[in-house]
Amino acid sequence: MILAATPISASWYLGLSALLFTVGAVGLLVRRNPLVMFMCVELMLNAVNLTFVTFARELDDVGGQVVVFFVLVVAAAEVVIGLGIIVGILRRRPGATADDLSLLKG
Amino acid sequence: MEYAVFAVAAIIVLAGAFGVVVSRNPVHAALSLVATLFGVAVLFVAQEAHFLAAVQVIVYAGAIVVLFLFVIMLLGVDRADDLDTEPLIGQRPAAVLAGLALGGALVAVVVTSTVTGAPRSGAEDSAGADNVTQIGRLLFTEHLFAFEATSVLLVIAVVGAVVLARRRRIEEIDREEPVTDLGRDDGSAGDADEPVEEHA
């Protein structure tokens, strides 16, 4: 079978990751629920991870996968702190959206 | 074969991503996020990143999404969002336009460019080793400092989470941080999506 013999080109993976990043960015701009906005950030991080893994295979360099490992750790720490902040905000003001948090506005 | 795997995984990834963006209920958004993460894990396997695929499932789908769901349940915000009212006039079409421009630019870059660059010198040293061995060797030799910095980051995150989640009494907070207009007198805010009952 010819299809099995020819590996899929890296452009497909990179294009998919570009689309995933775009969807995440649009979601971050459109949604107002802080939790959903956070999930959109995770989507964007996953798109970047996919790009790193694609280039790691394309260039035959495992360093890209190591970077993805670090991104995973930073994402975990970011989620812990971010959700802590969101819990703190929503506990004082239930149902707050990103638009309601305007205390820093001059 | 790889085309079929890629097609199915790509459909799952994109459908999950759209689900995160358009679902009204945050719980549904979190479950769509799980679908996306699994799809990305499948793509990792297809690209011979077996260790990262396992870590992706364990850390992302197993820990991060569960954390999201915990927070959703804990705060009781699992009611449907009001997606019909636009808080800022024209912000949503502008966001979609910006997204189309961004996506078009990124895809154009991918289509019009070719991957260049040489493999890292010395990459053939560990060519025979499997994925986990290669990553581990690189992690504890070249990237040792970043690895240690990561451990410091995790400790900071744990301490920060404990500090942030500590429950203080409202009067205490008001005395320390005198904030008067944060949710005390929100009868005039006109928020249609304020929940009726107060979550303590």
Side-chain angles (χ1 to χ4, degrees), chain B residues 114-138:
Chain B
T114 54
V115 178
T116 60
R120 193 171 49 89
S121 64
E124 67 273 9
D125 289 350
S126 51
D130 62 350
N131 184 239
V132 181
T133 311
Q134 284 178 315
I135 290 181
R137 193 170 291 157
L138 211 53

Side-chain angles (χ1 to χ4, degrees), chain B residues 17 30 56 58 65 68 75 102 124-125 144 165 171 175 192 198 200:
Chain B
Q56 169 95 356
I58 293 170
V65 175
F68 271 113
L75 294 172
L102 175 67
E124 67 273 9
D125 289 350
L144 185 62
E171 309 89 58
R175 201 171 53 243
E198 191 80 15

Side-chain angles (χ1 to χ4, degrees), chain B residues 16-85:
Chain B
F18 277 110
V20 171
V21 174
V22 303
S23 60
R24 292 163 182 266
N25 194 326
V27 178
H28 297 169
L31 296 180
S32 302
L33 184 63
V34 174
T36 299
L37 300 175
F38 269 107
V40 173
V42 169
L43 291 177
F44 282 178
V45 172
Q47 295 189 289
E48 291 152 17
H50 303 118
F51 173 71
L52 286 179
V55 170
Q56 169 95 356
V57 171
I58 293 170
V59 172
Y60 259 118
I64 290 183
V65 175
V66 169
L67 208 58
F68 271 113
L69 288 174
F70 265 153
V71 169
I72 291 170
M73 303 297 177
L74 178 73
L75 294 172
V77 290
D78 52 343
R79 69 214 145 66
D81 280 354
D82 189 11
L83 287 185
D84 297 327
T85 57

Side-chain angles (χ1 to χ4, degrees), chain A residues 29 31 42 46 65 73 93, chain B residues 21 23 56 60 91 131:
Chain A
L29 291 174
R31 295 302 297 262
E42 299 302 318
N46 267 278
Q65 298 189 12
V73 176
R93 177 162 188 177
Chain B
V21 174
S23 60
Q56 169 95 356
Y60 259 118
Q91 194 258 354
N131 184 239

Side-chain angles (χ1 to χ4, degrees), chain A residues 1 3-4 6-33 35-36 38-40 42-43 45-47 49-50 53-55 57-88 90-97 99-101 103, chain B residues 2-3 6 10 13-14 17-18 20-24 26 29-30 33 36-37 40 43-44 46-49 51-52 55-56 60 64 67-68 71-72 75 77 79 81 83 87 91-92 95 99 102-103 106-107 110 115-117 119-120 123 131 134-135 138-139 143 146-147 150 153-154 157 160-161 164-165 167 170 173-174 179 181-184 186 189 191 193-195 198-199:
Chain A
M1 191 173 166
L3 280 185
T6 57
I8 188 166
S9 126
S11 301
W12 287 97
Y13 287 102
L14 296 178
L16 172 66
S17 125
L19 288 180
L20 184 58
F21 189 91
T22 306
V23 172
V26 170
L28 188 67
L29 291 174
V30 165
R31 295 302 297 262
R32 282 292 164 268
N33 189 331
L35 280 166
V36 180
F38 232 63
M39 294 180 203
C40 292
E42 299 302 318
L43 287 183
L45 284 172
N46 267 278
N49 282 351
L50 188 56
V53 170
T54 304
F55 277 117
R57 187 180 75 157
E58 192 69 12
L59 299 178
D60 196 20
D61 187 348
V62 193
Q65 298 189 12
V66 175
V67 173
V68 173
F69 179 78
F70 287 129
V71 170
L72 279 170
V73 176
V74 172
E78 170 227 345
V79 163
V80 167
I81 296 297
L83 286 182
I85 292 172
I86 289 176
V87 166
L90 292 189
R91 199 183 264 159
R92 289 199 76 189
R93 177 162 188 177
T97 65
D99 290 328
D100 301 331
L101 309 174
L103 278 175
Chain B
E2 199 184 348
Y3 282 94
F6 177 82
V13 165
L14 287 182
F18 277 110
V20 171
V21 174
V22 303
S23 60
R24 292 163 182 266
L33 184 63
T36 299
L37 300 175
V40 173
L43 291 177
F44 282 178
Q47 295 189 289
E48 291 152 17
F51 173 71
L52 286 179
V55 170
Q56 169 95 356
Y60 259 118
I64 290 183
L67 208 58
F68 271 113
V71 169
I72 291 170
L75 294 172
V77 290
R79 69 214 145 66
D81 280 354
L83 287 185
Q91 194 258 354
R92 218 166 264 176
L102 175 67
L106 287 175
V107 172
V110 169
V115 178
T116 60
R120 193 171 49 89
N131 184 239
Q134 284 178 315
I135 290 181
L138 211 53
L139 201 58
H143 302 280
F147 184 78
T150 297
L153 178 73
L154 284 177
L164 282 171
R167 184 186 285 271
I170 297 289
I173 297 173
D174 279 343
V179 174
D181 54 346
L182 187 67
R184 273 309 116 65
D186 51 358
D191 284 336
D193 49 358
E194 285 283 328
E198 191 80 15
H199 294 282

